[in-house]
């Protein structure tokens, strides 16, 4: 179960082998590479609505889900298994109104075993992997 302590721990841990922080998803192709990398390594979490410095900025949850799901459908072969956890924090805990609300999204990518998840682009397919906090193509990973 996701709670505020879990979110704070993720942010404190910083980006690593199994965590990527995103302000928002701006490129389906780029996020497909991250999805492939997590699925081909240990699985992982993309926390959306947080800056690289750990500041909570909030997002439109439905828009971000759409971007991730469509990236998975359009670019990943076969598609990765992804689940979502939505989370809301309030800037002012005593005044929990829409104006004080920040929405975050966790996209949880399951490890794909034994099948690799490839990203198709420009008529080619390429597998990606995670090394520390980086997403690397298979040729750069080995």
């Amino acid at each position: 179960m996701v709670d505020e302590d879990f979110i704070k721990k993720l942010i404190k841990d910083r980006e690593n082998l199994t965590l990527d922080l995103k302000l928002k998803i701006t490129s389906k192709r780029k996020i497909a590479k991250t999805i492939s990398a997590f699925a081909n390594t240990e699985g992982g979490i993309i926390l959306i609505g947080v800056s690289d410095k750990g500041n909570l900025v909030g997002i439109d949850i439905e828009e971000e889900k759409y971007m991730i799901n469509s990236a998975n459908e359009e670019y990943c072969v076969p598609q990765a298994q992804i689940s979502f956890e939505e989370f809301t924090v309030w800037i002012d805990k005593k005044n929990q109104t829409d104006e004080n609300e920040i929405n975050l999204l966790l996209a949880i990518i399951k490890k794909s075993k034994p099948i690799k998840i490839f990203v198709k682009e420009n008529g080619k397919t390429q597998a990606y992997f995670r090394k520390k906090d980086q997403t690397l193509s298979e040729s750069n990973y080995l």
Side-chain angles (χ1 to χ4, degrees):
M1 178 69 189
V2 176
D3 62 16
E4 195 162 347
D5 290 338
F6 179 74
I7 298 290
K8 286 178 182 174
K9 182 184 179 320
L10 286 179
I11 294 168
K12 186 174 157 263
D13 286 350
R14 301 295 214 181
E15 292 184 341
N16 57 45
L17 182 70
T18 59
L19 176 66
D20 200 17
L21 303 177
K22 295 286 182 203
L23 205 52
K24 65 183 291 185
I25 307 303
T26 56
S27 166
K28 291 180 191 179
R29 184 180 50 78
K30 286 170 89 175
I31 203 63
K33 291 177 181 180
T34 303
I35 292 167
S36 168
F38 279 141
N40 293 333
T41 311
E42 295 296 324
I45 295 172
I46 304 169
L47 176 56
I48 308 152
V50 180
S51 73
D52 285 338
K53 293 184 178 184
N55 297 323
L56 304 179
V57 293
I59 46 134
D60 177 337
I61 286 177
E62 293 310 313
E63 174 66 21
E64 300 307 319
K65 278 185 179 179
Y66 167 79
M67 290 293 284
I68 289 176
N69 283 328
S70 56
N72 193 24
E73 292 167 10
E74 293 171 30
Y75 291 96
C76 295
V77 181
Q79 290 182 24
Q81 287 187 290
I82 302 173
S83 60
F84 295 100
E85 289 273 349
E86 301 173 15
F87 190 72
T88 302
V89 293
W90 285 270
I91 299 165
D92 178 359
K93 289 191 188 319
K94 293 177 186 166
N95 185 19
Q96 295 184 0
T97 62
D98 289 349
E99 294 85 39
N100 287 316
E101 187 177 275
I102 294 177
N103 294 309
L104 306 174
L105 181 66
L106 284 83
I108 303 152
I109 293 87
K110 188 174 180 184
K111 181 176 179 169
S112 178
K113 196 171 110 185
I115 300 166
K116 284 185 193 172
I117 305 294
F118 293 89
V119 174
K120 62 180 178 188
E121 62 180 328
N122 304 326
K124 298 177 184 172
T125 57
Q126 173 74 53
Y128 290 84
F129 294 86
R130 196 80 175 165
K131 187 172 189 178
K132 296 184 181 175
D133 64 347
Q134 293 183 306
T135 294
L136 303 172
S137 66
E138 189 167 22
S139 57
N140 290 329
Y141 179 74
L142 300 175

